[in-house]
Amino acid sequence: MDTMHAIVIEAPGKAAVLERPIPQPKEGEALLKMLVGGVCGSDLASYRGQSAYVSYPRTIGHEFAAQVVETPPNEFGIRLGMVVTGNPYFNCGQCYSCRRGFVNACVNNQTMGVQREGAFSEYFTMPVERLYDGQGIAPKALALVEPFCISYHGVSRVRPQPGEKVLVMGAGAIGTLAAVAAKCFGAQAYITDVAPGKVEAAVQDFGLDGGFVNDSPQALERFRQEITGEDGFDVTVEAVGAPATFLDCVWAAASRGRMVVIGVAKHSADFNFLELQRKELTITGSRGATKEDFAAVLKLVREGAVDLTRLLSRTYPSREAAAAFQDMDQHAVQITKAEFAFCDPTSEI
């Protein structure tokens, strides 16, 4: 049987490149050749043993650009040789959320690389209906469309209006792209983080309206006063998943403001919810992304609204995954986004 190599987290702290059989596509599935894979925070959490959902061993990865090597006849326009990305969140189709059409909020969701096998292998299969034509976007950028969709979906939940002021907590990939999404909606976008280098890169590389290092309550208070006076921000975005940044978002929001939580919380936040009542604050959760988000983001990237490759801090050969995860674990503060290169995207199949 033909084999391939795959990036597998065998146990917490142990990443390996292992031989696996090349999968055979089932009915309605395409066989894909992996080109580039983006490393999500959930992949690093699985490596660190901090994921609440993953089981081991697990082939990880759900951010990808891949080339179609086999496909059944289909109504979705997916053709042999096409470079594609896809929606990696598998909904059950039966729960109350799915029955109402809110498939991204499926209570039985299985995400590739977490609850089910992922994309970080030389070949993998996916249902054709979950694939999207890359429309000529370079594979290194196409592999980053999925995280942009996560950010875009979150920001679309609070719909910033032109001229409104948006503050994003967290200058990692998701936070930075949330600020970019706010700009795409016509708002003024500001960002903060405890890492000065990430704040500076987000502002300079993506044309944000400003940012600051959130190293004390006084720093946040000064920045809010500088940008909004006594008003507060029209929209705040939590993109860290920490109690402190959740509370900062509540405090920094204006009366009658909106707040969206994209970050995945690991601990509880203890706060006086009187602030929600006093401000008449709207707090919205955000999970995953939808087909409509993928369409919107692909259009933005294709039209040059954002260069996603500016996020990249590292690109590793896929066969060096063990050393790569050690590097990402040790230098997380310096790394905004990393990718694995599986092959030369210009090579023949």
Side-chain angles (χ1 to χ4, degrees):
M1 179 180 292
D2 290 335
T3 60
M4 62 180 185
H5 78 267
I7 299 175
V8 179
I9 305 297
E10 297 182 285
K14 188 177 181 182
V17 178
L18 303 180
E19 290 295 313
R20 291 284 190 263
I22 294 177
Q24 299 299 310
K26 299 174 184 177
E27 183 177 356
E29 291 184 339
L31 179 65
L32 306 172
K33 180 179 182 179
M34 185 65 146
L35 301 178
V36 180
V39 181
C40 178
S42 66
D43 299 319
L44 187 56
S46 296
Y47 175 78
R48 289 172 164 171
Q50 297 173 344
S51 172
Y53 301 108
V54 74
S55 58
Y56 303 96
R58 177 67 70 203
T59 302
I60 57 169
H62 58 262
E63 304 173 6
F64 66 87
Q67 196 160 28
V68 179
V69 295
E70 290 183 28
T71 182
N74 63 87
E75 60 184 288
F76 306 103
I78 303 302
R79 303 183 304 276
L80 187 68
M82 180 180 282
V83 176
V84 297
T85 191
N87 185 328
Y89 331 114
F90 283 69
N91 62 293
C92 71
Q94 299 174 349
C95 71
Y96 189 41
S97 294
C98 286
R99 297 199 309 271
R100 290 181 293 157
F102 306 133
V103 296
N104 62 300
C106 171
V107 300
N108 302 306
N109 172 73
Q110 291 191 342
T111 298
M112 291 174 65
V114 184
Q115 296 98 339
R116 63 190 295 141
E117 288 295 86
F120 282 8
S121 53
E122 289 181 292
Y123 295 91
F124 64 101
T125 60
M126 276 193 76
V128 177
E129 65 183 2
R130 290 183 170 275
L131 299 176
Y132 307 115
D133 179 5
Q135 304 173 26
I137 298 169
K140 289 187 73 170
L142 187 61
L144 302 178
V145 160
E146 188 273 344
F148 191 10
C149 288
I150 296 288
S151 302
Y152 185 90
H153 180 78
V155 172
S156 71
R157 296 274 286 143
V158 287
R159 288 282 167 182
Q161 299 300 305
E164 286 190 322
K165 295 179 175 68
V166 177
L167 177 63
V168 179
M169 294 283 174
I174 297 300
T176 298
L177 291 174
V180 170
K183 294 285 287 183
C184 291
F185 278 93
Q188 298 175 31
Y190 302 87
I191 199 162
T192 184
D193 199 287
V194 296
K198 288 187 176 182
V199 173
E200 181 180 1
V203 173
Q204 292 186 356
D205 292 345
F206 293 95
L208 306 184
D209 294 281
F212 73 101
V213 179
N214 192 20
D215 55 3
S216 71
Q218 292 75 26
L220 174 57
E221 186 173 358
R222 285 194 300 269
F223 191 77
R224 187 180 104 151
Q225 185 72 30
E226 175 189 343
I227 302 301
T228 75
E230 298 297 328
D231 296 342
F233 289 89
D234 301 288
V235 173
T236 58
V237 180
E238 204 293 322
V240 177
T245 46
F246 176 89
L247 297 177
D248 282 348
C249 281
V250 172
W251 183 84
S255 291
R256 202 65 189 270
R258 290 106 66 206
M259 171 181 162
V260 62
V261 179
I262 304 176
V264 179
K266 303 173 183 66
H267 303 284
S268 298
D270 184 10
F271 72 106
N272 186 344
F273 58 86
L274 176 66
E275 191 77 349
L276 309 187
Q277 182 270 334
R278 185 182 69 81
K279 287 185 175 181
E280 200 173 14
L281 187 64
T282 299
I283 299 183
T284 302
S286 179
R287 181 180 177 189
T290 66
K291 181 178 181 179
E292 291 74 21
D293 297 318
F294 275 89
V297 164
L298 283 165
K299 184 174 186 291
L300 287 169
V301 177
R302 187 182 69 248
E303 293 178 350
V306 55
D307 178 5
L308 294 178
T309 62
R310 288 182 174 271
L311 280 176
L312 289 173
S313 307
R314 303 274 202 283
T315 299
Y316 306 99
S318 61
R319 290 184 181 269
E320 298 177 10
F325 270 99
Q326 290 180 5
D327 184 56
M328 286 184 277
D329 183 39
Q330 295 169 8
H331 301 100
V333 174
Q334 290 83 36
I335 299 173
T336 299
K337 193 68 181 176
E339 287 186 336
F340 283 112
F342 281 76
C343 65
D344 179 0
T346 64
S347 64
E348 294 292 329
I349 296 175

